[in-house]
Amino acid sequence: LTKFEKKTGRDVAFPEAHLRLNDICGSYFTTFREWLKFKKLKRMESFGKLFSLRGMDVRDILLDEWESGYWGEFQFCKLHGLAMARFLQELKSSHSIITYGELFAQNRSAYHLSKLASPKSQFVAIQHAMNVKNKMSSYFREREFSQKDKFDHINFSPAPDKFLVQGPQYEEIVSEFFEPSKVRIIGSVKYDSFSVPQEHKDELCQNNSKVILIAPSVNDYQYIIDCFSCWENKDGWDVVLSPHPATNLNEIRDYQEKKYPNLKISYNTTLRTNELMATSSLVVTGYSTTAIEASFFGVKAVRFRNLGTFPLFDYEVVIPVFYDGPSFIEWFEKQNWESNED
């Protein structure tokens, strides 16, 4: 935080520093009490029958997923919301807060508790990445939200006051469940243009080598590296990993070096992922939207996906998906890497 503050010349706040001991203890105590109630409900057949999709009983899947949240995620959500509320409470004035939180579940506690602490403060959500209708964490139902600005989070879900989206596609989707008058298009704040300065190309493409860019999201680096571990270092190819800003680079590097010490990967934090992407020959990712963004630059992309997890995106013909390393290597060897055409 100190480095960021010096680099940007901006004041940096750390809301979690405003948490109190009783906030932390209270979040764990209430979560434990809720877990006991859940265990009781779980044993009731009438409760289990509620978990049905088109006549198919899916309680075993959904109830286990629900219960897993009691072991950390629910506490995180509560403390995230409490931290923001305490922060606003100590400011003693209303503010406009710009957030990437969208309508994600972990941010709803912040919307709710912050409004209790600072009713006149406004939350403006910016579309975080590419969202589609089949992406469950970004598509909802109109009846989940109050369309009359009623502060009633018992019957309605907390939400931001405004929603800024990248383009007409998601604007149309959001307007199906969120008040259309509160939605505006602002374009992508990630890309000012699709051109990359020549010095960036020279910095990355040393010795005229081709580059494979590994671009993990926040929680998928382990299985990406696991799948990529069968890669044998090839002449004329460099492998570069660009970490997500919210991840710990040392953690990723330690995992790779301890588990796959012979895997040659360089870690680049001096250039942004999109700058690296534009000068690469192949982008390897998990559930990051960089796989789609690579097509803007005419760069091939693949996804590594972990078996047993729900995909976040519809299958794209131009973005192959691999569940194991050998399948990826077989595909790689068949490609014409002298051009970006298949």
Side-chain angles (χ1 to χ4, degrees), residues 27-28 31 34 64-81 104-107 109 137 219:
S27 70
Y28 279 86
T31 303
E34 291 156 9
D64 283 350
E65 182 68 20
W66 182 343
E67 188 166 11
S68 68
Y70 289 108
W71 307 109
E73 191 162 348
F74 292 164
Q75 294 93 321
F76 167 81
C77 292
K78 290 178 181 181
L79 291 173
H80 175 73
F104 299 142
Q106 62 266 35
N107 291 87
S109 61
S137 60
N219 294 314

Side-chain angles (χ1 to χ4, degrees), residues 303-318:
R303 291 190 189 280
F304 287 165
R305 188 171 291 163
N306 198 19
L307 283 172
T309 59
F310 288 107
L312 293 181
F313 298 98
D314 292 336
Y315 178 73
E316 300 275 354
V317 176
V318 295

Side-chain angles (χ1 to χ4, degrees), residues 2-63:
T2 302
K3 289 181 180 178
F4 180 78
E5 192 169 32
K6 290 180 179 179
K7 182 180 179 180
T8 61
R10 301 174 181 174
D11 292 332
V12 176
F14 187 54
E16 282 77 3
H18 298 265
L19 284 170
R20 303 167 185 172
L21 179 61
N22 64 322
D23 292 333
I24 298 172
C25 295
S27 70
Y28 279 86
F29 175 74
T30 57
T31 303
F32 176 71
R33 190 171 58 188
E34 291 156 9
W35 175 68
L36 293 178
K37 291 180 179 179
F38 172 81
K39 296 290 287 185
K40 183 177 180 180
L41 287 170
K42 191 178 178 181
R43 291 192 294 268
M44 298 170 58
E45 180 64 20
S46 59
F47 182 70
K49 287 181 177 180
L50 297 174
F51 298 88
S52 174
L53 293 175
R54 297 182 180 179
M56 181 171 59
D57 190 333
V58 292
R59 74 180 76 180
D60 289 340
I61 298 173
L62 297 184
L63 289 178

